[in-house]
């Protein structure tokens, strides 16, 4: 049974004819999305041999070889010009790595801009949002989901002709999360707040207090506090 994290990712893929799931590992996401009738076909990309073989095995077990093409390769290199990819999912990696995969695709032309992006960064969400803004993507939806006691952000974006700018605060904390701070969003921010408090306590205990660092974290602290209250 697929967990709430990837189930929520799948819910954003409804109606997609060809999905490219980058870093698919066991290919559970494309298999589930096809079984649920959300998508019709998928490419499951993996750069590491072991997970690539796991993906092949899952697809074989579910007899979905005619619907899911499992491919070994780095990021969007697995996509060819013949594929008409309608959506790209990149989940369970750091925001920086996801941004790097998108950037490489943009430079190589394997990311055309016609795809809906469904992204689930584990950390450094702000770096991913910065990349999206820099390349004229509009963030359409954002949610926080809980899975195994961890809180994950999911970001859905589409490319626009013109830039869709965001403020520094929106990039840091998510424009749609700020707009609609659900209980889980608030909980994620409260966890961040506690972490900043710990860092500040430690910084203030050091022999020579690093004033600049303290000020940066103080600023973040107040920003978050302002969003929660
Ligand atoms: N997407 C799945 C999920 O969300 O449960 C698997 C996440 S797993 C933590 C990350 C996977 O991404 C690994 O299987 C890893 O091999 C793969 N990966 C990392 N960098 C990649 C890249 N540049 N191209 C393709 N796959 C990559």
């Amino acid at each position: 049974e697929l967990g709430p994290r990837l189930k929520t990712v799948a819910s954003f893929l409804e109606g997609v004819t060809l999905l490219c799931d980058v870093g698919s590992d066991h290919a559970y996401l494309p298999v589930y999305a096809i079984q649920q009738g959300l998508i019709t076909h998928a490419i499951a990309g993996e750069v590491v041999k072991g997970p690539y073989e796991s993906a092949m095995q899952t697809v074989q077990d579910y007899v979905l070889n005619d619907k899911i093409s499992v491919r070994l390769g780095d990021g969007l290199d697995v996509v060819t010009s013949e594929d008409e990819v309608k959506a790209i999912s990149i989940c369970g990696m750091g925001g920086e790595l996801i941004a790097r995969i998108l950037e490489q695709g943009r430079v190589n032309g394997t990311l055309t801009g016609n795809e809906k992006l469904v992204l689930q960064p584990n950390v450094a969400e702000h770096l991913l949002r910065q990349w999206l803004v820099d390349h004229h993507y509009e963030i359409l939806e954002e949610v926080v989901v809980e899975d195994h006691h961890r809180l994950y952000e999911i970001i859905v974006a589409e490319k626009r002709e013109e830039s869709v700018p965001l403020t520094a605060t929106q990039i840091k904390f998510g424009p749609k999360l700020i707009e609609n701070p659900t209980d889980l969003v608030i909980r994620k921010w409260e966890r961040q707040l506690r972490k900043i408090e710990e860092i500040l306590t430690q910084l203030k205990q050091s022999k020579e207090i690093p004033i600049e660092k303290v000020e940066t974290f103080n600023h973040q602290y107040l920003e978050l506090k302002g969003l929660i209250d």
Side-chain angles (χ1 to χ4, degrees):
E1 176 80 351
L2 203 67
R5 179 179 61 90
L6 289 180
K7 268 192 182 166
T8 308
V9 168
S11 73
F12 290 116
L13 297 171
E14 192 169 358
V16 167
T17 47
L18 180 60
L19 165 75
C20 179
D21 184 39
V22 175
S24 201
D25 199 358
H26 286 81
Y28 291 147
L29 174 66
V31 165
Y32 173 83
I34 286 177
Q35 281 183 326
Q36 296 295 311
L38 296 168
I39 69 172
T40 48
H41 290 86
I43 297 164
E46 251 304 333
V47 74
V48 179
K49 204 83 189 284
Y52 162 77
E53 278 162 4
S54 308
M56 293 279 270
Q57 190 61 52
T58 311
V59 171
Q60 211 174 324
D61 290 348
Y62 286 88
V63 204
L64 286 173
N65 303 283
D66 57 336
K67 308 244 172 191
I68 303 176
S69 164
V70 181
R71 301 179 189 174
L72 185 64
D74 184 3
L76 289 165
D77 290 357
V78 295
V79 174
T80 72
S81 52
E82 264 118 79
D83 299 314
E84 275 189 41
V85 173
K86 298 286 193 265
I88 294 168
S89 51
I90 314 179
C91 306
M93 303 174 209
E96 197 172 3
L97 177 56
I98 297 176
R100 213 184 315 140
I101 290 170
L102 291 172
E103 178 62 15
Q104 195 177 313
R106 189 186 71 82
V107 171
N108 294 341
T110 46
L111 178 74
T112 66
N114 297 321
E115 313 88 348
K116 177 184 193 179
L117 305 182
V118 185
L119 312 167
Q120 184 271 298
N122 286 340
V123 292
E125 296 88 352
H126 63 288
L127 294 179
L128 179 55
R129 278 193 280 264
Q130 186 65 60
W131 187 91
L132 292 171
V133 169
D134 290 346
H135 297 94
H136 298 193
Y137 278 82
E138 181 182 5
I139 295 178
L140 303 173
E141 296 185 80
E142 284 174 316
V143 288
V144 169
V145 290
E146 186 173 21
D147 200 325
H148 286 89
H149 306 293
R150 279 202 59 180
L151 297 170
Y152 297 98
E153 287 184 24
I154 296 168
I155 302 170
V156 182
E158 274 176 17
K159 191 165 170 79
R160 298 287 175 247
E161 290 282 322
E162 315 249 316
S163 118
V164 186
L166 294 179
T167 65
T169 306
Q170 286 175 321
I171 287 180
K172 242 183 266 168
F173 304 109
K176 299 292 168 187
L177 301 181
I178 295 171
E179 215 173 275
N180 180 26
T182 59
D183 289 351
L184 286 178
V185 173
I186 299 286
R187 259 173 58 201
K188 186 160 194 283
W189 288 345
E190 281 172 347
R191 281 186 194 182
Q192 270 172 271
L193 210 57
R194 259 173 267 139
K195 249 184 227 156
I196 296 174
E197 277 170 345
E198 278 169 32
I199 294 171
L200 278 171
T201 309
Q202 275 174 12
L203 287 178
K204 285 174 185 165
Q205 281 168 354
S206 36
K207 258 203 186 129
E208 268 179 66
I209 296 175
I211 295 170
E212 268 184 39
K213 264 194 191 165
V214 170
E215 274 176 359
T216 308
F217 281 107
N218 252 333
H219 178 77
Q220 274 192 39
Y221 182 86
L222 292 173
E223 233 180 345
L224 260 174
K225 210 73 188 129
L227 290 178
I228 292 171
D229 294 338

